[in-house]
Amino acid sequence: MNLIDIDSEICTACGLCIVECPFGLLAQQTGDVPDLIPGGESFCMRCGHCLAVCPVGALALDGETPESCDPAQTGAVVDPPAMAALLKNRRSIREYKDRPVPRKDMQELMEPVRWAPTAKNEQPVHWLLVDDRAAIHDLARLTVEWAREIDRMPELVTAWDAGKDLVLRNAPLLAIATAPSDGLSPVIDSTIAASALELAATAYGLGSCWAGYFMRAAQQYGPIAERLNLPRGHQVCAALMMGYPKRTYHRVPPRKPADVTWLGSV
Ligand SMILES: Cc1cc2nc3c(=O)[nH]c(=O)nc-3n(C[C@H](O)[C@H](O)[C@H](O)COP(=O)(O)O)c2cc1C
C-alpha cells in the first residue's frame, strides 16, 4: 500500500493537496496527478490535510479513503455567542452528586477529544479513566501521604485528617491523561486534550475540575505511578476530576480583562 494514493480518474490536478501539505511533500509535473516527492514518506505526519482538502475525493492517505472520513462542516460550527457562553459558563466543579458517570457517555466524549491538536500530529495521549470510588480515594490518600512526606501543602493534610478530601473531592470519576515522556510535547498535548474534554463534558451535564495536587504528586511520587500501572515510558501529564455538579451557578464570576498587546503597524 502506498502512503498516498490518488485516483487519476477522479483527480482534476487542481493542486490543492500540494499547497495544503504543511511540509510541501506533494508535487506535480505540469498538469499531472500529484505524487509524493522522493523521501516524502518519512516526513509525512499523517495529518490528513491532503485528504481533507481534496474537493473531488480523489486522494487516500495511509489506507484512509475519502469515504472513510466524516464529511466536514464548512463555516463556523458554533456561532460567537454560543462559543463565548460555552467558555464563560464552564466552572471548576468541586462537589459532585452521588451518581456514577456512565461509561457509555465517557466513551462518547473521548471520541471528539481525539481531534485536539498535538505536536506533529503525534496523538500521544492515553486516557486512564478511574471510576472506582475506592481507587480514587486511595489515589487521594497517596497524594496526602506524599504531601506529608515532603512537608508541604499543609492544607491538604489538615483537611484529610479531618475527613475532608481536598485532593480529588470524592469525585466519581478521575480522567488521567498520560503520554510518552520522550514525545515532542507530552504535557502540552495532554493539557490541550484535557481542556477539550473539560469543555465537551459540559454538553453531557458533567462538571470537572483540574486535579492539580494529584497531578504533581503523580509526577513526583513513585507509589502513585506504581498504582496507576502506566503504559511503559508514559508520564502523568494532566488529570480531571469529573462528575455531575451538585450546585448551580447563577452568574458568571468576573475575570481580569484580556491582557493583550498588539504588535504591528496600524
Ligand atoms: C493546572 C490547574 C490545576 C488546578 N488544580 C486544582 C486542584 O488541585 N484543586 C482544585 O480545587 N482546583 C484546581 N484548579 C482549578 C482552579 O482553581 C480554577 O480553574 C480557578 O480557580 C478558576 O475557577 P473556574 O475554573 O471555575 O473558572 C486547577 C486549575 C488548573 C488550570
Side-chain angles (χ1 to χ4, degrees):
M1 183 182 61
N2 297 323
L3 175 63
I4 287 179
D5 271 317
I6 301 183
D7 188 332
S8 57
E9 302 278 302
I10 302 174
C11 176
T12 61
C14 68
L16 275 178
C17 56
I18 294 173
V19 290
E20 181 68 17
C21 177
F23 294 135
L25 302 179
L26 288 160
Q28 73 191 135
Q29 311 292 343
T30 315
D32 278 355
V33 168
D35 206 354
L36 206 57
I37 62 169
E41 184 153 349
S42 54
F43 293 103
C44 174
M45 58 182 174
R46 276 78 169 164
C47 68
H49 278 224
C50 51
L51 166 61
V53 81
C54 177
V56 293
L59 189 150
L61 171 70
D62 217 8
E64 298 289 350
T65 63
E67 295 73 34
S68 66
C69 300
D70 286 341
Q73 280 182 249
T74 48
V77 175
V78 181
D79 66 25
M83 181 51 82
L86 174 67
L87 295 174
K88 288 169 69 176
N89 286 281
R90 176 215 54 81
R91 287 280 69 73
S92 290
I93 300 303
R94 300 185 176 90
E95 280 212 63
Y96 303 94
K97 288 183 180 160
D98 187 14
R99 179 179 156 199
V101 179
R103 286 191 173 189
K104 184 184 136 293
D105 286 358
M106 284 308 293
Q107 219 96 44
E108 259 179 51
L109 261 171
M110 297 330 287
E111 268 301 296
V113 169
R114 294 193 291 135
W115 275 267
T118 56
K120 261 210 164 165
N121 197 34
E122 278 189 345
Q123 303 175 65
V125 183
H126 168 74
W127 289 99
L128 186 58
L129 301 179
V130 189
D131 62 357
D132 177 272
R133 284 196 183 250
I136 293 173
H137 185 77
D138 207 43
L139 292 171
R141 182 189 64 75
L142 284 168
T143 303
V144 174
E145 189 175 284
W146 165 74
R148 228 188 273 277
E149 214 164 89
I150 60 170
D151 200 16
R152 300 274 297 276
M153 294 158 282
E155 71 278 15
L156 292 192
V157 178
T158 309
W160 185 264
D161 290 344
K164 197 164 164 54
D165 173 12
L166 292 191
V167 179
L168 296 175
R169 307 262 176 186
N170 301 310
L173 191 137
L174 180 64
I176 305 169
T178 78
S181 311
D182 63 358
L184 268 181
S185 214
V187 174
I188 295 175
D189 291 346
S190 302
T191 305
I192 294 170
S195 192
L197 173 61
E198 189 182 22
L199 287 172
T202 62
Y204 287 72
L206 286 165
S208 52
C209 184
W210 282 81
Y213 290 120
F214 167 76
M215 280 157 52
R216 246 178 299 152
Q219 285 154 3
Q220 294 176 27
Y221 191 47
I224 295 187
E226 257 167 53
R227 183 64 50 91
L228 296 175
N229 195 19
L230 300 179
R232 182 185 289 275
H234 277 231
Q235 66 181 78
V236 168
C237 298
L240 293 176
M241 313 165 217
M242 297 180 75
Y244 296 99
K246 213 173 205 174
R247 286 191 283 278
T248 304
Y249 297 98
H250 300 286
R251 50 204 68 82
V252 173
R255 291 289 180 261
K256 293 179 190 173
D259 185 6
V260 177
T261 304
W262 285 91
L263 193 66
S265 50
V266 256

